[in-house]
Each structure stands twice: as C-alpha cells, then as structure tokens.
C-alpha cells in the first residue's frame, strides 16, 4: 500500500484493514482561526488542568511534543511518540468501535484530524484533534495507563457486536458531523437526535461491544482518579473540554467508585455527563477490565458464545478445545443439553490454528460455508482429540477406513477417511472424508455429492470472538463510511476574518504584518461584530506591548460583547483571565 502519510515501524505493522481508515493530515488545511481555537483551549487547559488533572497530564504534554501555540503536526508527534512505544494516525471522524480498539491494541493512537469550530470551542460531540491530541496523547506517556489502553484495545476488538450496534455507530457518526457542520438546519439535527434516542431506547440486551464501550467511555474518555471526594482528571473527554473539565469538579456531577457496574451505565455524547466514576489508581482499571473479560465469549465460549456470533450477523470466530479456529458468518447451531453439538457458517469460511490459517483451508476453499460436529462420541468416554494413534485405530478412525461416527446430540458422520491434521502437540484437529454423509436425526447436513467433508475436532467451544482468527484470511478492506465530515464553508466574509486572525498571529510571532493592530481591530468591529476570540488575542498583544489606552478601548468593546452575546461571556472572561493572571505572576 502506498501510504499517503508519513509512517513509522508501528504504523507499518498495522494490517491492511486498519490502514484503510488512515488519511493524510493535510496540515495546510488548518486556518488561522483553527490555530487560534487550538491555542485558546490549550492555554486554558494548561492553566486549569495543572490544578485538577492527574500529574501524568502535564508531564505527558512535554513528552508527546504537544505545543500550546500550534496544532500538532502528526509527523512530529510520531517521532516523539515512538520514544514511548506509540504512534498516531489521522482518521476522518468516528471509525467503527472494533477498528478503534484494534488500533489501540497495536499501540497506535487514532486522531480525528479535523478541529472544532470556534462556536463549539468548549465541547463538540465530534472527535477532533483537540480531543484526541490534547486529551488522549499526553496521558499515554504514563506507562501503566498506556498498557491499560493497549490491553483494552486487545480485548475490546474481540467483543461481539449486535447488528444494532452498527446502526448506532452510523447514527452517532452522522449526528456528530451534522452538529459540528456549519449551518446545519435544526430540523436535520432534531431528526438524527431522535434516531439516536430511539436506538438507545430500543437496543434490547446490550451486546459485549455495547458494554465494553461503556467501560471505555467511563475510563478512557470520562475517567476520574484518586480520592472520590477530591479526584483528578485523566479521561480524554474531560481533558479536552474546557467547559466540562470545570463542571465535572462541582457537586452537580455525582461521583461513584469505579467497578464493573459501569459497563451497564449508558451515556449521551451530546450532553454533559450527570455522573462520573473514580478509580483509585490505574492498576484498578486493569482489574475491572480483566473481570469484564472473564464474562466475554472470548473466554467463556460455549453455546452462548456461538449464539452471540449468530445474533451479530457478522464475521466471527470460534475456537475448539484442540485449538482449531473456525472463522466465518455463523448462521446455525444445533444444541443438546445446553451444549453446541453442531455449528454451521454460511459463505466464506477459513480454518486456522493459533491465528494462522491452515494450509488448504482458506476462505476461497470453504467458499460455500462450513459445518462440523462438536463434542464426544456416543458411549465413548474418550474424546477423539484425546485418543492416541492406537486408540484411533482401535475405533476405526484411520486413513482409508470407512467409518460411522455417532456423536452425542444425534449427529452422525459416515464416510471414508482420507487424512487427518494434527496440532503441534500431536492432537488431531481435523479429519477429512470422501463419500461422506452428515445427519442430525433425519436432517441431512452434508451429502457425498458436495465433495470432501472436513470435520473440525474438538470436544467443546472454548472461545468465541468478533473478527477472523487470521486477518489475512478475508478481504477486510471494504470500509465505506455512510457520511463524511463537512468542512467549514468559504465566503468572502470568512476569508477576511481568517486574514485578520493571520495578521495578529504574524504580529505575535514577530513576522511582518500586512496591516496594523489598529486597522485589524477597526475591520473586526465593522465587519465581524460577533467574533470574540480575535479581540481577546488583540488585548493580549496590547497588554504585552503596554499600549494601555488602546487596550482599554478593546476591553470596553469586549465588555459590550459580553452583554450582547451572554453565551460567550464566560469564554471572553476566561481569555482575559489568562492574560492578566499570567501578568501578575
């Protein structure tokens, strides 16, 4: 794949199905207003979060190379992240949860490279570079937390979804795009919000993916740490929201000790969270994750694991007790006494052992599906997998022999054995037959004219999980998002405002301006009376240059703006506090 992005060894080893989500950062697309938004949020964050964030945050800002003055360049970040064993890639907004978590399992941070509008400077439901870069990146410099994130990704990407989960992902992605897009009609936002609400109220029994996403939200995104009466912030959603990072520290937000019950606490990405969970330390996060993983089909297998895969209607894998893995879309299971006795996939199926496809058992070979009995033979206490070569011969399970195998649960396999495949420990994991008939009571499951019958060997299903055992077995490069992020509209008015922001940025950085501060302010007042951030930046420059009289004029203007636009009054005050607090220190 010719990557349109600067790579590093961690990104190079990503499988192709993850690389399909990566897009170039296009740093030149960031406008002067975008840069001003980043700078404002980062200055507020560093000032405020130094008091309320976990001490790893400020250390991490230095270690990950994030600057207050400039939106981070992904290439520069990658060079620094490499030192702590991580990498970062740019993506377009929300990506499917399994993919997001699988990136984490590879120690790769996914960063939505767009940036929120000035109108949404405090919070946006859309993932953006402030949330990802300023929220997630610094905290992974803590080795204990970074390992939690990697481990979470490793377990989370195996969680089985429901078909409803994907509908919810698509609806939330569209909602985040429309809410962040400029000038979206309110009726469109109302319609998609209703769609999200309807889905949330009609999810049925929560899938493993829905449950583990809740755990991710209440830790990685919105987690607090330390003493429940006086916690610190470590969740990226809080670290990147100048509004909610303050709100969450008040008594208006209930605080609960973090435990596995958080998996059943849903969330709404469009509103401030009414409750948060506090972990005593990062080690406790891993304890809860392991406790949850012990409930997943990944570790429990069995009939319920197969049923979860059938309900998901998506590509998944079961592993039998011999280690053989069957990957495909599972469509049927025959059960007896609470155990699966026969499983069936439809369409392309691959067989693997220890995540490596078995030679001759690719998805193209098993293109029409795969079915196999599971369990012990009737009246024989010794399972096929535990039989020695002598035992196998004694029971007639031998190359060239025609045999009838009657399994518990009334599955019967009759045919001539061609060969068997063994694992490294010598256990037989696969038996191939010709002229074979497979039945369940009077129902024919396989007949001779269909060709060779390959029977997986295993007395039980020990694991069931989302995705293929060997990612190379299937063409997974097929992601087509239903919606794309919408860029800010260009207009003569916007272009002029951008040029004013650029002029003030040039002055601050010691570059040659193309007009005076006075002229910039005059045009701002005349043509852009709603904009507040540039006037704050002008006040900062005037204060630094000791232009007291002109500064008073700008401060009076900002005071009037606070009266006419009360919704941004606290943002204006916050910006001025930074200027005059820093001056007095």
């Amino acid at each position: 794949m010719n990557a349109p992005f600067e790579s590093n060894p961690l990104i190079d080893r990503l499988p192709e199905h993850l690389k399909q989500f990566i897009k170039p950062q296009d740093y030149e697309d960031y406008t002067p207003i975008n840069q001003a938004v980043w700078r404002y949020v980062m200055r507020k964050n560093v000032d405020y979060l130094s008091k309320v964030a976990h001490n790893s945050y400020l250390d991490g800002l230095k270690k990950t190379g994030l600057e207050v003055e400039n939106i981070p360049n992904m290439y520069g970040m990658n060079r620094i992240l490499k030192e702590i064993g991580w990498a970062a890639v740019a993506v377009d907004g929300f990506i499917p949860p399994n993919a997001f978590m699988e990136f984490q399992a590879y120690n790769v941070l996914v960063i939505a490279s767009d940036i929120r509008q000035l109108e949404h400077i405090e919070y946006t439901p859309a993932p953006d570079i402030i949330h990802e870069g300023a929220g997630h990146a610094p905290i992974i410099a803590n080795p204990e937390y970074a390992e939690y994130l990697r481990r979470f990704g490793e377990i989370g990407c195996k969680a089985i979804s429901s078909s409803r989960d994907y509908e919810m992902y698509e609806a939330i992605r569209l909602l985040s795009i429309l809410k962040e897009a400029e000038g979206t009609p309110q009726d469109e936002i109302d319609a998609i919000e209703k769609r999200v609400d309807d889905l949330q109220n009609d999810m049925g029994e929560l899938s493993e993916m829905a449950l583990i996403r809740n755990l991710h939200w209440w830790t990685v995104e919105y987690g607090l740490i330390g003493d429940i009466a006086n916690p610190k912030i470590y969740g990226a959603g809080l670290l990147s929201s100048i509004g909610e990072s303050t709100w969450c520290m008040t008594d208006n937000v209930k605080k609960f000790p973090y435990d596995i019950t958080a998996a059943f606490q849903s969330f709404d990405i469009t509103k401030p969270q009414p409750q948060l969970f506090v972990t005593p330390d990062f080690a406790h996060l891993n304890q809860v994750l392991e406790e949850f993983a012990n409930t997943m089909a990944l570790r429990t297998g069995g009939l319920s694991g197969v049923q979860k895969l059938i309900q998901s209607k998506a590509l998944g894998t079961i592993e039998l007790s011999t280690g053989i893995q069957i990957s495909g879309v599972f469509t049927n299971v025959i059960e007896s006494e609470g155990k699966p006795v026969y499983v069936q996939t439809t369409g392309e199926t691959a067989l693997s052992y220890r995540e490596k496809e078995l030679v001759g058992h690719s998805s193209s070979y098993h293109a029409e599906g795969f079915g196999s009995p599971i369990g012990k033979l009737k009246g024989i206490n010794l399972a096929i997998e535990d039989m020695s070569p002598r035992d196998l011969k004694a029971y007639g399970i031998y190359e060239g022999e025609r045999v009838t195998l009657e399994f518990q649960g009334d599955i019967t396999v009759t045919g001539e054995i061609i060969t068997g495949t063994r694992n490294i420990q010598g256990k037989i994991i696969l038996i191939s037959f010709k002229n074979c008939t497979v039945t369940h009571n009077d129902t024919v499951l396989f007949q001779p004219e269909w060709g060779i019958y390959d029977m997986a060997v295993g007395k039980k299903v020990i694991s069931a999980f989302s995705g293929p055992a060997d990612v190379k077995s299937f063409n997974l490069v097929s992601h087509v998002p239903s919606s794309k992020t919408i860029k800010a509209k260009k207009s003569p008015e916007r272009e002029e405002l951008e040029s004013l922001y650029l002029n003030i940025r040039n002055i601050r950085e010691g570059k040659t301006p193309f007009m005076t501060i006075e002229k910039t302010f005059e045009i701002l007042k005349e043509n852009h009376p709603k904009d507040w951030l540039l006037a704050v930046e002008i006040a900062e420059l005037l204060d630094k240059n000791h232009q007291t009289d002109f500064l008073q004029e700008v401060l009076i203007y900002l005071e009037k703006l606070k009266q006419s636009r009360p919704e941004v009054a606290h943002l204006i005050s916050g910006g001025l506090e930074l200027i005059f607090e820093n001056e007095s220190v």
Side-chain angles (χ1 to χ4, degrees):
M1 178 177 177
N2 295 319
F5 49 87
E6 187 173 313
S7 197
N8 73 17
L10 282 171
I11 297 172
D12 290 340
R13 72 189 179 104
L14 288 171
E16 294 301 313
H17 72 276
L18 289 184
K19 287 182 182 177
Q20 71 182 314
F21 294 101
I22 303 173
K23 69 166 200 171
Q25 186 183 18
D26 295 332
Y27 196 86
E28 295 72 25
D29 285 354
Y30 296 124
T31 69
I33 294 177
N34 294 156
Q35 294 285 2
V37 166
W38 170 271
R39 183 173 180 267
Y40 179 92
V41 173
M42 289 303 293
R43 290 176 80 222
K44 286 296 291 177
N45 276 1
V46 171
D47 178 65
Y48 175 67
L49 293 175
S50 60
K51 308 177 188 86
V52 298
H54 188 265
N55 55 21
S56 298
Y57 177 75
L58 291 178
D59 293 343
L61 280 177
K62 299 187 191 95
K63 286 181 183 173
T64 51
L66 288 168
E67 296 178 33
V68 169
E69 296 293 322
N70 301 290
I71 294 171
N73 186 310
M74 213 79 77
Y75 308 143
M77 271 184 76
N78 265 324
R79 284 193 288 274
I80 297 165
L81 285 172
K82 189 176 166 186
E83 301 301 313
I84 57 174
W86 280 73
V89 295
V91 298
D92 182 45
F94 279 115
I95 64 172
N98 287 82
F100 180 86
M101 292 190 195
E102 196 175 354
F103 271 109
Q104 284 182 197
Y106 282 95
N107 284 34
V108 174
L109 200 60
V110 173
I111 294 183
S113 56
D114 289 327
I115 187 165
R116 65 194 64 177
Q117 293 180 62
L118 176 54
E119 289 73 20
H120 302 150
I121 194 166
E122 288 189 279
Y123 174 77
T124 172
D128 76 335
I129 197 160
I130 292 178
H131 171 77
E132 319 277 14
H136 285 295
I139 207 78
I140 64 166
N142 179 300
E144 194 173 18
Y145 179 76
E147 174 55 20
Y148 169 68
L149 205 61
R150 185 201 67 78
R151 184 75 177 137
F152 199 107
E154 194 172 55
I155 292 168
C157 72
K158 301 291 188 186
I160 300 170
S161 300
S162 70
S163 54
R164 274 299 170 95
D165 289 332
Y166 202 79
E167 286 181 60
M168 177 62 87
Y169 154 70
E170 291 281 11
I172 286 176
R173 176 180 164 85
L174 182 57
L175 174 61
S176 70
I177 289 169
L178 293 180
K179 286 198 98 166
E180 183 57 32
E182 202 177 341
T184 305
Q186 189 59 44
D187 59 340
E188 277 190 46
I189 293 175
D190 291 345
I192 190 63
E193 278 189 334
K194 183 179 185 306
R195 172 78 177 138
V196 170
D197 284 344
D198 289 348
L199 281 169
Q200 279 180 328
N201 295 329
D202 189 30
M203 290 297 284
E205 185 180 349
L206 293 181
S207 69
E208 289 180 351
M209 178 52 76
L211 293 170
I212 205 165
R213 276 188 69 228
N214 286 345
L215 290 183
H216 193 271
W217 182 265
W218 298 121
T219 60
V220 175
E221 298 294 354
Y222 275 76
L224 298 175
I225 187 167
D227 176 29
I228 200 160
N230 187 28
K232 299 290 187 184
I233 296 171
Y234 74 91
L238 296 172
L239 292 173
S240 61
S241 170
I242 53 178
E244 206 159 359
S245 59
T246 306
W247 166 255
C248 78
M249 285 295 159
T250 68
D251 292 337
N252 295 310
V253 178
K254 295 173 185 172
K255 318 291 193 305
F256 298 101
Y258 178 64
D259 59 28
I260 199 168
T261 60
F264 299 92
Q265 178 62 58
S266 60
F267 58 89
D268 183 342
I269 68 162
T270 66
K271 299 181 178 73
Q273 305 308 312
Q275 76 282 305
L276 295 172
F277 294 88
V278 184
T279 183
D281 48 43
F282 288 139
H284 182 68
L285 297 180
N286 276 309
Q287 287 177 25
V288 174
L289 177 60
E290 289 301 316
E291 187 182 350
F292 180 79
N294 286 336
T295 70
M296 290 171 62
L298 175 67
R299 294 188 181 173
T300 60
L303 177 62
S304 66
V306 181
Q307 288 170 333
K308 284 178 183 178
L309 285 179
I310 292 170
Q311 287 158 10
S312 76
K313 301 178 183 176
L315 177 61
T317 299
I318 65 167
E319 182 175 333
L320 305 186
S321 42
T322 54
I324 192 169
Q325 296 163 313
I326 305 163
S327 299
V329 177
F330 287 82
T331 50
N332 191 31
V333 60
I334 299 171
E335 60 178 286
S336 176
E337 297 179 358
K339 295 176 185 176
V341 294
Y342 195 89
V343 292
Q344 179 71 52
T345 65
T346 299
E348 292 186 343
T349 304
L351 306 183
S352 302
Y353 180 72
R354 291 188 173 173
E355 286 74 52
K356 187 169 174 55
E357 186 183 283
L358 293 175
V359 175
H361 294 282
S362 67
S363 58
S364 58
Y365 178 73
H366 295 289
E368 302 300 319
F370 181 86
S372 182
I374 296 165
K376 291 183 177 181
L377 297 172
K378 270 186 185 175
I380 301 174
N381 201 34
L382 193 64
I384 293 176
E385 67 193 74
D386 297 325
M387 291 181 182
S388 68
R390 187 174 293 174
D391 294 325
L392 289 167
K393 190 165 187 181
Y395 288 112
I397 305 171
Y398 200 71
E399 282 88 341
E401 295 285 336
R402 184 163 182 82
V403 67
T404 295
L405 303 176
E406 292 186 26
F407 286 85
Q408 293 172 357
D410 300 316
I411 306 293
T412 303
V413 178
T414 301
E416 185 181 329
I417 296 176
I418 304 170
T419 188
T421 304
R422 296 179 184 275
N423 66 16
I424 199 76
Q425 286 80 26
K427 285 189 172 186
I428 193 153
I429 61 174
L430 190 70
I431 300 173
S432 299
F433 299 81
K434 64 181 179 181
N435 299 321
C436 186
T437 302
V438 183
T439 59
H440 173 237
N441 296 323
D442 296 328
T443 304
V444 176
L445 303 172
F446 190 92
Q447 47 200 38
E449 50 268 36
W450 294 354
I452 303 298
Y453 180 69
D454 298 295
M455 184 183 83
V457 176
K459 56 191 170 191
K460 60 182 177 180
V461 176
I462 63 167
S463 181
F465 54 87
S466 175
D470 184 340
V471 294
K472 295 176 183 173
S473 293
F474 296 84
N475 176 18
L476 303 174
V477 184
S478 59
H479 174 70
V480 181
S482 62
S483 47
K484 291 195 173 182
T485 50
I486 300 166
K487 306 295 182 189
K489 294 172 185 172
K490 290 188 177 180
S491 65
E493 182 188 13
R494 172 61 69 94
E495 294 294 323
E496 181 183 65
L497 184 59
E498 293 283 6
S499 72
L500 299 181
Y501 270 88
L502 178 60
N503 190 57
I504 293 302
R505 185 176 178 83
N506 285 344
I507 295 171
R508 188 172 63 247
E509 293 177 351
K511 296 175 184 173
T512 306
F514 42 85
M515 71 176 82
T516 62
I517 299 180
E518 288 82 357
K519 182 65 176 172
T520 306
F521 184 55
E522 188 181 317
I523 296 172
L524 178 70
K525 284 193 299 181
E526 280 293 315
N527 298 347
H528 310 280
K530 287 192 169 182
D531 188 86
W532 60 272
L533 181 53
L534 187 57
V536 171
E537 291 205 333
I538 289 170
E540 180 190 353
L541 275 180
L542 296 174
D543 181 63
K544 184 180 176 185
N545 297 339
H546 307 294
Q547 292 176 259
T548 318
D549 292 343
F550 190 8
L551 174 60
Q552 285 307 310
E553 184 185 336
V554 174
L555 291 177
I556 290 166
Y557 173 79
L558 283 168
E559 200 56 42
K560 287 178 181 173
L561 198 53
K562 284 161 72 172
Q563 303 302 320
S564 63
R565 294 197 65 199
E567 71 276 12
V568 298
H570 64 293
L571 295 170
I572 295 170
S573 298
L576 295 176
E577 280 167 17
L578 280 173
I579 299 167
F580 299 116
E581 271 181 16
N582 292 344
E583 183 186 60
S584 62
V585 170

